[in-house]
């Protein structure tokens, strides 16, 4: 090989979804085959683009852009090279990108070329602001991060005083993306104005909702954007310490964040002198231990203090008395990761996306029984039907979709009649549903909605912190009542009892765990009474 | 040199002494080293962190992640949350139990234990499992059998 030999840059994702489909073995096979054939390559382990049905998605950089090969298996790599790869990628650039692999196609003899990745309609139709770099850059390369617009937000923030910085967040219309949708700017201002020597920024990365993976994807594929968002938050509220509380089920996210923090510290993006400003803030990762309730902000604080994750009564609000009794800003990963864009491009630019009081973009996680599952970042206002049909390509099983659960295990099941309602916090609230963290889980017509309702109560019983009676006892009684109905006691009395129990949990629980578990239960009962053995209309609260 | 468990405990107690808020990092480090948190260590941990034994016990038992007994040589975790249920996750649970002979969240069988887990973040590629900590997505019963055989073989040092 001479020095003038062309080296091919090949991207192989290392987010945990790609790894779960064998990306590490693919990377090893590509490296070994290139060495064997004397082909000069440079492998970049990028993050996943979030087009998970294509993973492992291997990309080759060409003058026309990055050309993708989907569902690559280690055993296919030699055959790829036999076909002239990676040199042939340049002429593959304009392949028909509408080509798609049917689910399970990884048993095909050859990986499919998907043409230029950036031309894939699933990506083209998105509005990626927060996820703009995800899958594009090397997650741990600081130069790559800056070359793609990184740090512009933090630099803009350093030019502002705390009041102006909090006002920027307020003006953007950003609401907490963790689920509660509280205006972020108000929370920031409250912490900023609180008087204390010590303040904290805590990032809630305890993403335990089934159907959600946006936090994971950010942490694994663009951890610097979260670090930058946390530094902006810390400087804006006057905090000198930031902690990311990550669930133990996400070891790859923990490793990626810790590695990214070490790089950021070395680059002077965090530490005693942030970007030469003379201002200090340290960041660290705290590992959770498998308790769903710790996604609730006060339980999370208890856990960070070394205790059982038992919910605290509010007030006092954490913004005034949070970690160790000090003013604490707690935001979700996506909330904090949205902030660099807002500071870099202006609050007004962000606000131009969305509808009504739901401004900006929502990273929707398309999951469950779906043909093309993945991350779809769009302005608020998209409908489930668009997500299911246009992005998702229908169910993976090929059967008709029946119910879509939005917003995690505490979110409602939406029947087809509600799939045309735009995703917007207020529009969903009017349906008795929640947008939550943007998780969308599709179920086909084989789903047993009574079984899923029973499971919702079971999950609450398993994960309740135990502090308040409606959640601790109500969930167990909920399982019992649903099981009685499923066994054939479909009298109005049982249905009424279940509705009364749901009322008690909604009104009497200390936090969302008990307060929202009735959402999936009631929606299943109301919209799918046949699954409970009930006649049409018999599942509604009024009928009971 | 591999440190003895007691040396590990002693150095952890010294590192976290007097800092009750560092109980979780201490327990994580202990479990990462020994595979579980031996209840016999509870009094020493409590004394070092200035906590009651009840508080330490309460924390260990509150969190699903911490084990109070050594894990089986092969641990299979199967996700049982909604996204996995939507793709026959419960049928996979039944298959895993039948294949291993172990009951989910019960006793291990021939060194293989099966546990429930609630979300591994692979909801677009369900169902998902981990085998000895390694993540696998879009797992069919047939693929599970291959993955389990590979994991058991590599645990036994047969890399053929």
């Amino acid at each position: 090989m001479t020095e003038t030999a062309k080296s091919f840059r090949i991207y192989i994702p290392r987010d945990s979804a790609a790894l779960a489909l064998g990306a590490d073995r693919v990377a090893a096979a590509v490296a070994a085959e290139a060495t064997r054939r004397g082909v000069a390559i440079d492998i970049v382990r990028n993050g996943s683009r979030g087009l998970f049905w294509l993973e492992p998605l291997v990309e080759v950089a060409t003058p026309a852009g990055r050309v993708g090969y989907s569902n690559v298996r280690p055993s296919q790599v030699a055959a790829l090279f036999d076909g002239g790869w990676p040199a042939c990628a340049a002429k593959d650039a304009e392949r028909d990108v509408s080509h798609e692999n049917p689910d399970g196609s990884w048993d095909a003899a050859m990986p499919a070329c998907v043409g230029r990745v950036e031309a894939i309609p699933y990506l083209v139709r998105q509005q990626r602001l927060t996820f703009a770099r995800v899958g594009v850059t090397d997650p741990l390369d600081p130069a790559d991060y800056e070359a793609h617009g990184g740090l512009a937000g933090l630099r803009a923030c350093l030019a502002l005083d705390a009041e102006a910085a909090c006002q920027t967040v307020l003006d953007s219309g950003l609401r907490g993306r963790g689920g509660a949708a509280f205006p972020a700017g108000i929370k920031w201002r409250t912490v900023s104005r609180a008087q204390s020597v010590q303040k904290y920024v805590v990032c809630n990365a305890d993403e335990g909702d089934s159907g959600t993976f946006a936090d994971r994807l950010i942490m694994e594929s663009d951890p610097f954007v979260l670090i930058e968002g946390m530094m902006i938050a810390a400087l804006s509220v006057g905090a000198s310490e930031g902690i990311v509380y990550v669930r133990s089920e996400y070891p790859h996210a923990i490793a990626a964040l810790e590695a990214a923090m070490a790089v950021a510290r070395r680059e002077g993006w965090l530490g005693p002198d942030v970007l030469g400003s003379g201002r200090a803030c340290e960041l660290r990762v705290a590992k959770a231990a498998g308790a769903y309730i710790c996604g609730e902000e006060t339980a999370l604080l208890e856990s960070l203090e070394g205790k059982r994750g038992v919910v605290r009564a509010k007030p006092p609000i954490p913004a005034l008395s949070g970690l160790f009794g000090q003013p604490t800003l707690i935001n979700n990963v996506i909330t904090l990761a949205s902030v660099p864009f807002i500071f870099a491009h202006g609050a007004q630019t962000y606000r131009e996306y969305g509808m009504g009081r739901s401004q900006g973009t929502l990273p929707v996680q398309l999951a469950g029984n779906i043909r093309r599952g993945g991350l779809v970042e769009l302005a608020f206002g998209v409908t489930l039907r668009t997500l299911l049909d246009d992005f998702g390509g229908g169910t993976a099983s090929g059967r008709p979709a029946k119910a879509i659960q939005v917003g995690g295990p505490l979110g409602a099941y939406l029947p087809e009649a509600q799939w045309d309602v735009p995703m917007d916090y207020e529009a969903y609230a009017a349906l008795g549903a929640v947008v939550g963290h943007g998780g969308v889980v599709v179920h086909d017509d084989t789903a047993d909605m009574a079984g899923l309702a029973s499971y919702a109560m079971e999950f609450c019983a398993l994960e309740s912190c135990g502090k308040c009676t409606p959640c601790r006892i109500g969930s167990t009684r909920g399982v019992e009542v649903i099981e009685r109905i499923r066994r054939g006691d479909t009298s109005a009395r049982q249905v009424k009892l279940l509705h009364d129990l749901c009322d008690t949990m909604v009104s009497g629980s200390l936090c969302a765990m008990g307060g929202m578990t009735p959402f999936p239960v009631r929606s299943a009962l109301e919209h799918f009474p046949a699954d409970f053995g009930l006649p049409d209309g018999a599942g509604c609260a009024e009928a009971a | 040199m591999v440190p003895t468990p007691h040396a590990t405990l002693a150095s952890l107690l010294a590192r976290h002494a007097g800092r009750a808020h560092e109980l979780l990092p201490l327990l994580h480090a202990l479990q990462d080293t020994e595979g579980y948190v031996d209840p016999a260590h509870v009094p020493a941990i409590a004394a070092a962190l200035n906590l009651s034994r009840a508080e330490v016990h309460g924390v260990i038992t509150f969190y699903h992640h911490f084990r109070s007994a050594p894990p089986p040589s092969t641990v299979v975790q199967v996700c049982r949350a909604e996204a996995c249920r939507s793709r026959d996750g419960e049928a996979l649970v039944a298959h895993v139990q039948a294949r291993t002979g172990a009951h989910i969240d019960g006793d291990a069988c021939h060194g293989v234990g099966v546990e429930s887990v609630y979300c591994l973040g692979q909801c677009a590629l369900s169902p998902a499992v981990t085998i000895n900590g390694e993540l696998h997505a879009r797992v069919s019963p047939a693929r599970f059998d291959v993955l389990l055989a590979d994991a058991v073989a590599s645990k036994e040092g047969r890399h053929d």
Side-chain angles (χ1 to χ4, degrees):
Chain A
M1 208 182 328
T2 66
E3 277 183 17
T4 54
K6 182 169 162 47
S7 178
F8 294 94
R9 175 162 292 182
I10 295 172
Y11 295 82
I12 306 176
R14 64 160 163 206
D15 107 296
S16 62
L19 296 180
L21 296 173
D24 269 350
R25 292 193 304 281
V26 171
V30 170
E33 201 60 33
T35 304
R36 200 170 72 77
R37 294 169 190 252
V39 180
I41 62 163
D42 168 22
I43 296 179
V44 177
R45 299 304 300 272
N46 59 326
S48 172
R49 303 250 189 186
L51 280 58
F52 292 132
W53 79 98
L54 297 176
E55 294 292 355
L57 175 65
V58 177
E59 299 174 30
V60 180
T62 77
R66 279 154 65 167
V67 175
Y69 297 82
S70 70
N71 309 106
V72 180
R73 305 185 72 190
S75 59
Q76 300 165 330
V77 169
L80 259 181
F81 276 93
D82 286 343
W85 199 77
C88 64
K91 56 179 195 298
D92 284 346
E94 295 311 323
R95 284 266 191 111
D96 176 11
V97 292
S98 66
H99 170 85
E100 60 194 30
N101 277 352
D103 193 42
S105 66
W106 60 357
D107 285 324
M110 283 288 286
C113 176
V114 295
R116 275 195 315 121
V117 175
E118 313 237 325
I120 295 174
Y122 197 94
L123 260 187
V124 172
R125 289 202 299 252
Q126 296 194 34
Q127 293 159 307
R128 287 199 167 186
L129 309 183
T130 305
F131 283 74
R133 272 176 301 263
V134 163
V136 177
T137 55
D138 176 341
L140 296 180
D141 183 343
D144 210 7
Y145 183 68
E146 279 201 78
H148 287 83
L151 292 189
L154 180 54
R155 292 207 170 94
C157 177
L158 282 167
L160 301 174
D161 65 18
E163 198 63 26
C166 292
Q167 190 63 43
T168 300
V169 178
L170 204 55
D171 291 344
S172 73
L174 179 67
R175 293 162 73 176
R177 296 286 188 258
F182 187 79
I186 291 178
K187 205 188 247 189
W188 285 38
R189 204 167 58 190
T190 306
V191 181
S192 183
R193 290 179 179 173
Q195 297 297 312
S196 174
V197 175
Q198 177 72 59
K199 296 179 192 176
Y200 298 98
V201 171
V202 171
C203 172
N204 182 347
D206 196 45
E207 183 178 58
D209 285 355
S210 176
T212 65
F213 44 77
D215 294 358
R216 176 185 72 66
L217 194 58
I218 279 285
M219 291 188 281
E220 293 176 354
S221 298
D222 191 15
F224 290 143
V225 80
L226 176 58
I227 290 172
E228 185 181 349
M230 286 194 72
M231 298 311 294
I232 292 172
L235 297 176
S236 302
V237 304
S240 58
E241 189 178 343
I243 304 160
V244 189
Y245 183 88
V246 191
R247 60 202 302 258
S248 55
E249 293 87 343
Y250 281 1
H252 296 286
I254 292 173
L257 262 187
E258 284 181 334
M261 281 180 190
V263 172
R265 195 170 291 118
R266 194 184 69 211
E267 299 286 322
W269 299 356
L270 60 88
D273 182 18
V274 177
L275 291 182
S277 66
R279 300 167 73 179
C281 183
E282 258 309 328
L283 292 186
R284 66 182 170 91
V285 173
K287 184 175 167 186
Y292 177 77
I293 193 59
C294 290
E296 196 283 334
E297 61 180 10
T298 62
L300 189 159
L301 294 174
E302 290 286 300
S303 184
L304 277 178
E305 292 181 8
K307 295 177 260 184
R308 288 182 296 151
V310 175
V311 172
R312 294 178 184 171
K314 288 189 274 192
I317 54 171
L320 297 175
S321 176
L323 187 61
F324 302 117
Q326 304 304 310
T328 303
L329 178 70
I330 309 181
N331 276 141
N332 171 264
V333 172
I334 301 303
T335 314
L336 289 163
S338 300
V339 162
F341 178 92
I342 292 167
F343 279 80
H345 300 273
Q348 193 53 39
T349 307
Y350 191 72
R351 207 189 173 95
E352 280 160 14
Y353 294 84
M355 61 179 283
R357 294 202 291 122
S358 302
Q359 279 135 359
T361 57
L362 176 74
V364 173
Q365 297 120 93
L366 205 43
N369 196 331
I370 188 86
R371 190 146 164 246
R372 296 191 294 252
L375 190 287
V376 181
E377 183 180 353
L378 284 171
F380 284 90
V382 67
T383 66
L384 286 179
R385 200 176 301 278
T386 298
L387 288 167
L388 174 68
D389 296 340
D390 298 357
F391 285 91
T395 62
S397 60
R399 302 182 63 90
K402 174 176 178 179
I404 303 181
Q405 188 177 31
V406 183
L410 310 180
Y413 285 101
L414 279 66
E416 186 171 2
Q418 298 179 335
W419 296 350
D420 296 307
V421 176
M423 273 183 123
D424 159 294
Y425 292 122
E426 279 67 38
Y428 266 53
L431 292 178
V434 288
V435 170
H437 185 45
V440 170
V441 178
V442 179
H443 293 265
D444 73 10
D445 63 350
T446 62
D448 166 13
M449 301 312 295
L452 286 166
S454 180
Y455 166 71
M457 285 288 189
E458 244 179 270
F459 185 66
C460 182
L462 184 71
E463 297 293 337
S464 171
C465 81
K467 182 158 177 167
C468 71
T469 317
C471 173
R472 184 183 69 242
I473 308 289
S475 51
T476 299
R477 295 292 169 260
V479 175
E480 292 166 1
V481 180
I482 295 171
E483 290 310 312
R484 272 204 298 278
I485 296 172
R486 291 180 80 193
R487 280 198 305 269
D489 182 353
T490 53
S491 60
R493 186 171 155 268
Q494 291 299 340
V495 178
K496 182 170 190 324
L497 186 60
L498 185 54
H499 277 293
D500 285 351
L501 182 64
C502 287
D503 281 344
T504 305
M505 290 177 72
V506 168
S507 308
S509 298
L510 203 52
C511 80
M513 179 87 221
M516 287 174 62
T517 293
F519 284 37
V521 175
R522 275 186 162 158
S523 56
L525 190 64
E526 184 177 340
H527 301 301
F528 307 96
D531 289 21
F532 293 79
L534 296 166
D536 270 358
C540 301
E542 301 75 39
Chain B
M1 192 186 91
V2 178
T4 67
H6 292 100
T8 302
L9 181 64
S11 77
L12 284 173
L13 294 181
R15 192 191 310 162
H16 299 284
R19 294 206 278 264
H21 64 279
E22 292 178 6
L23 179 56
L24 263 73
L26 187 159
L27 295 174
H28 272 302
L30 200 54
Q31 180 157 308
D32 288 349
T33 313
E34 299 190 11
Y36 70 113
V37 179
D38 191 334
H41 295 335
V42 169
I45 295 169
L49 270 57
N50 198 21
L51 290 166
S52 72
R53 280 184 283 169
E55 283 170 313
V56 176
H57 174 78
V59 166
I60 295 169
T61 52
F62 180 85
Y63 293 98
H64 301 306
H65 180 82
F66 297 123
R67 303 172 182 279
S68 293
S73 63
T74 297
V75 176
V76 177
Q77 293 181 312
V78 191
C79 179
R80 306 188 71 187
E82 288 85 349
C84 286
R85 281 174 189 257
S86 77
R87 305 267 357 241
D88 296 326
E90 290 302 286
L92 181 64
V93 168
H95 172 82
V96 169
Q97 292 185 113
R99 175 64 58 192
T100 60
H103 193 267
I104 194 154
D105 301 318
D107 291 337
C109 181
H110 301 301
V112 182
V114 182
E115 300 173 354
S116 299
V117 65
Y118 295 90
C119 201
L120 297 165
Q122 305 304 319
C123 319
L125 296 167
S126 52
V129 307
T130 73
I131 304 178
N132 291 331
E134 195 179 339
L135 188 61
H136 305 283
R138 210 190 264 154
V139 179
S140 62
R143 180 148 179 262
F144 173 79
D145 292 349
V146 174
L147 294 169
L148 181 67
D150 285 353
V152 170
S154 85
K155 198 90 180 180
E156 290 168 0
R158 296 197 311 263
H159 296 281
D160 47 17

